[in-house]
Amino acid sequence: MSAAAARPLVTVQSLESDMATDANSVPLPDVMKAAIRPDIVTFVHGQISKNARQPYAVSKRAGHQTSAESWGTGRAVSRIPRVAGGGTHRAGQGAFGNMCRGGRMFAPTKIWRRWHRQVNVTQKRHAVVSAIAASAVPSLVLARGHKIEEVPELPLVVSDAAEAVEKTSAALKVLKQIGAHPDAEKAKDSQAIRAGKGKARNRRYVSRKGPLVVYGNEGAKLVKAFRNIPGVEIAHVSRLNLLKLAPGGHIGRFIIWTKSAFQQLDAIYGTFDKLSEKKNGYVLPRAKMVNADLARIINSDEVQSVVAPIKKEVKRAPLKKNPLKNLGVMLKLNPYAKAAKRMALLAEAQRVKAKQDKLDKKRKPITKEEASAINSASKSWYKTMISDSDYTEFENFTKWLGASQ
Amino acid sequence: MPPIPKSHIWYFTRSYPSLFLKPPHCEILDSPFLSISEMATVPGQLIWEIVKKNNSFLVKEFGNGTASVKFSKEPNNLYNLHSYKHSGLANKKTVTIQPGKDQSVLLATTKTKKQNKPSTLLNKSLMKKEFNRMAKAVVNQVADNHYRPDLKKAALARLSVVNRSLKVSKSGAKKKNRQRL
């Protein structure tokens, strides 16, 4: 991993009050290169935001502060428990059921509902690290909706002179100088009354989020200067809150770092090889894929030199032709078919011819020689029949046949 | 080995041999420090995976449930369509064509080396010429120097629409005379 050897530099933006030649640069801490996992951030954010909840419940006696009893059957009323007594509207009204007016609700809410959620420490840290890394990618910050078109560089690091700013007017000037003013302005313009019941429940106004200013030295005056600007939030480096880094569970908040804060990030979160100093035994999480640039991998020499060329022609299945109808296909399957067919044809022709000959012969009138030959043959046959039957035993036959000669 | 065209994504490898890859081609790697833009930044496809589900520019219209057209309002998107190819967020090289001041057209392309410096990211140029010359300039910037040749049609289409809108804004929208018989 070449990243370990050479770390890119981030220039520190100088403000007016800086000494002129102070605009230097700091190396990028490894946190900003950690794996960006929006799924972990959404999960952890969802869990963590449950931790600030205050319990609510209905009174446990609500709906039960009557001594109602069912009237039973036989009174032409439903069997719901009814309020005892008399002399008031309330008498005889249904009580206790969730369907009754003035009755207890279904499943009364209890205060021992599990309001808070536990999240593994490593998961919480992974989420924070992901959110910080995402804040260094301009596309993600833009996608979250911040106006950073005029920001000179991301991540935006400001010299420590910003921490000494005391007046809010000076703070606004600082924002203007570093190009963060459009984002703060967007937040200010977006202040509106909340839609819905929340406005009557002490959540009257909503607005967009502006930049998050992160400082490094305790007790910096900048907190008081920046905190009244609408949309702008402040945080100390060692106390970064995921709910502020990824508001709404969406990664890519616009963060303004002071130089000392930026330099502490390496100590707080560690690097990919070095343990963190402040978090016991913690190393930055590893990404599943170190080089996620698929297009570059695929087009690289190592891959392209081993890969087979594109198949531009798409091979489609040919149409099946019926061999019983298509002679060519039949011959492909069975070459003997040609000979068989030929022989069949010849045999057929022969048969036809033979039959025709036979018929012709029968239909032709016979010649005189033939007729006389037939005649004489039949006469001689008759004579032989008679002579053959002239023998001694013949009288026995006459008895059998019942014929007399 | 027949020459293989180096196209955007036609192949798929089975494994991602990150350990065996040489580091990105940077002669500057020899020095101990780089400027932040020259390091391998978050690649466009990773950004797309994060951004494609939801972002502040996404607009879903015409439909219900899962069926809807997804538009995207970011300035660097030529078709305003929510897709990887046209996205202004997920690509290093993008083109944008917008109306500028005084009936001029602003053509801007992003510089690949300044991805982390949003204020100096764009090469802007205001054009106030006639349409044919603007079209030629656009084609030169987008396709002919191989910047993003796949966006040529989109750039020209957007140019003509922007141009027309400027003409309309100059002369005012058509006023229907409803009193005429």
Side-chain angles (χ1 to χ4, degrees):
Chain A
M1 259 226 322
S2 51
R7 280 145 90 222
L9 295 174
V10 183
T11 54
V12 178
Q13 314 299 328
S14 63
L15 310 168
E16 277 171 342
S17 42
D18 259 355
M19 308 300 130
T21 50
D22 240 9
N24 44 15
S25 18
V26 269
L28 186 75
D30 273 358
V31 204
M32 307 262 170
K33 297 235 257 350
I36 299 180
R37 295 271 253 120
D39 55 330
I40 294 187
V41 173
T42 332
F43 170 71
V44 174
H45 176 93
Q47 300 287 71
I48 285 188
S49 47
K50 293 183 183 174
N51 290 345
R53 297 197 287 183
Q54 286 184 347
Y56 62 84
V58 289
S59 164
K60 69 173 179 185
R61 296 172 320 189
H64 282 286
Q65 297 186 71
T66 42
S67 58
E69 270 206 52
S70 171
W71 285 357
T73 47
R75 296 251 233 140
V77 288
S78 74
R79 292 180 277 176
I80 191 80
R82 290 176 185 278
V83 175
T88 172
H89 278 289
R90 184 67 177 142
Q93 285 180 344
F96 288 155
N98 51 317
M99 58 281 211
C100 300
R101 177 177 183 276
R104 155 217 14 96
M105 65 180 273
F106 162 72
T109 48
K110 302 289 182 199
I111 51 167
W112 56 80
R113 177 193 301 219
R114 193 168 67 109
W115 301 100
H116 306 97
R117 292 291 182 273
Q118 214 192 17
V119 188
N120 300 343
V121 171
T122 339
Q123 263 185 330
K124 285 194 274 201
R125 286 173 181 165
H126 198 324
V128 168
V129 156
S130 269
I132 295 178
S135 77
V137 183
S139 293
L140 295 179
V141 181
L142 269 177
R144 206 191 156 271
H146 292 284
K147 300 269 176 274
I148 51 168
E149 282 86 2
E150 293 180 23
V151 169
E153 184 176 359
L154 262 200
L156 183 60
V157 184
V158 168
S159 68
D160 280 341
E163 292 199 2
V165 161
E166 280 204 44
K167 303 287 275 173
T168 308
S169 49
L172 271 177
K173 274 218 200 90
V174 166
L175 286 182
K176 283 204 178 88
Q177 273 171 37
I178 54 180
H181 187 64
D183 206 28
E185 235 193 312
K186 166 199 83 160
K188 178 147 176 264
D189 290 340
S190 67
Q191 283 174 331
I193 296 184
R194 188 186 290 261
K197 276 292 190 307
K199 70 163 99 48
R201 294 182 180 174
N202 306 331
R203 289 168 246 137
R204 193 152 179 93
Y205 295 100
V206 272
S207 63
R208 305 289 92 76
K209 296 262 181 210
L212 174 69
V213 180
V214 179
Y215 62 96
N217 300 316
E218 290 292 357
K221 303 262 174 48
L222 129 160
V223 179
K224 288 217 184 144
F226 278 91
R227 72 184 180 188
N228 203 24
I229 307 175
V232 173
E233 285 175 334
I234 1 257
H236 185 272
V237 179
S238 49
R239 295 186 289 275
L240 286 174
N241 186 355
L242 181 67
L243 302 174
K244 299 228 155 64
L245 290 174
H250 300 131
I251 46 175
R253 178 113 192 234
F254 175 32
I255 304 183
I256 302 174
W257 307 89
T258 58
K259 187 168 165 213
S260 41
F262 206 64
Q263 285 167 326
Q264 285 181 46
L265 278 177
D266 243 350
I268 296 178
Y269 292 100
T271 70
F272 286 113
D273 327 299
K274 196 166 61 104
L275 288 178
S276 141
E277 290 160 29
K278 303 284 168 66
K279 300 188 197 293
N280 197 3
Y282 181 67
V283 193
L284 283 175
R286 303 195 162 285
K288 263 285 186 280
M289 231 177 127
V290 172
N291 180 11
D293 200 340
L294 275 185
R296 203 139 175 220
I297 293 176
I298 291 173
N299 287 333
S300 70
D301 290 335
E302 290 92 338
V303 168
Q304 291 281 320
S305 58
V306 219
V307 141
I310 307 176
K311 289 190 192 148
K312 279 268 157 89
E313 281 184 14
V314 183
K315 213 173 173 194
R316 302 218 184 269
L319 181 66
K320 179 177 183 221
K321 300 194 175 175
N322 188 357
L324 297 178
K325 294 191 190 173
N326 187 323
L327 180 63
V329 180
M330 180 59 147
L331 291 183
K332 232 192 257 184
L333 293 170
N334 176 16
Y336 180 69
K338 193 167 188 177
K341 197 160 191 171
R342 183 190 313 128
M343 292 204 319
L345 282 173
L346 288 175
E348 180 65 17
Q350 217 168 26
R351 226 177 298 139
V352 164
K353 186 163 169 295
K355 180 161 186 182
Q356 194 57 21
D357 281 347
K358 196 163 163 201
L359 285 178
D360 282 345
K361 191 160 173 254
K362 286 236 160 97
R363 288 173 185 159
K364 207 169 64 180
I366 35 180
T367 58
K368 280 249 170 69
E369 295 92 10
E370 275 181 6
S372 62
I374 290 172
N375 240 337
S376 57
S378 63
K379 279 202 174 91
S380 62
W381 184 82
Y382 184 65
K383 284 204 175 84
T384 43
M385 258 265 296
I386 301 220
S387 64
D388 274 352
S389 61
D390 237 351
Y391 62 96
T392 46
E393 315 295 310
F394 193 65
E395 278 114 37
N396 301 334
F397 277 120
T398 51
K399 284 189 202 138
W400 287 2
L401 296 171
S404 51
Q405 242 199 331
Chain B
M1 197 81 198
I4 305 159
K6 284 207 177 182
S7 37
H8 199 58
I9 302 176
W10 295 112
Y11 304 88
F12 240 91
T13 53
R14 261 182 287 118
S15 60
Y16 305 112
S18 56
L19 294 172
F20 305 117
L21 271 187
K22 357 188 254 255
H25 299 282
C26 269
E27 297 82 26
I28 318 172
L29 266 185
D30 301 319
S31 78
F33 291 118
L34 306 169
S35 96
I36 192 172
S37 48
E38 271 137 9
M39 268 314 282
T41 51
V42 177
Q45 274 158 306
L46 180 55
I47 297 185
W48 179 245
E49 287 299 313
I50 298 173
V51 159
K52 76 176 179 195
K53 192 152 176 241
N54 198 4
N55 64 67
S56 78
F57 302 108
L58 177 59
V59 174
K60 292 187 184 177
E61 293 206 341
F62 309 122
N64 43 24
T66 47
S68 61
V69 188
K70 294 192 188 167
F71 294 114
S72 194
K73 288 195 292 199
E74 73 246 21
N76 291 357
N77 190 327
L78 280 179
Y79 269 160
N80 280 0
L81 271 187
H82 180 70
S83 79
Y84 178 66
K85 172 168 160 179
H86 298 110
S87 163
L89 297 170
N91 291 307
K92 267 211 282 201
K93 297 182 183 174
T94 70
V95 179
T96 180
I97 290 177
Q98 313 209 304
K101 284 198 217 189
D102 301 329
Q103 318 297 324
S104 60
V105 174
L106 171 76
L107 163 69
T109 55
T110 55
K111 306 179 206 168
T112 53
K113 295 262 161 89
K114 294 265 187 348
Q115 292 292 315
N116 294 74
K117 302 189 188 354
S119 60
T120 55
L121 177 61
L122 293 174
N123 282 318
K124 293 192 195 157
S125 88
L126 274 180
M127 298 193 285
K128 215 176 165 182
K129 319 178 246 204
E130 66 214 4
F131 183 73
N132 282 332
R133 298 184 67 237
M134 284 203 284
K136 191 146 191 301
V138 164
V139 169
N140 282 345
Q141 280 299 89
V142 170
D144 288 349
N145 57 356
H146 301 286
Y147 183 70
R148 282 269 255 146
D150 57 329
L151 286 186
K152 177 167 112 170
K153 263 200 187 154
L156 287 175
R158 195 178 177 95
L159 173 68
S160 64
V161 171
V162 166
N163 200 23
R164 181 160 282 274
S165 79
L166 288 175
K167 278 197 228 156
V168 168
S169 73
K170 188 164 143 192
S171 67
K174 257 198 215 162
K175 281 175 270 222
K176 261 201 167 156
N177 187 349
R178 293 210 152 87
Q179 303 303 317
R180 218 157 95 181
L181 282 167

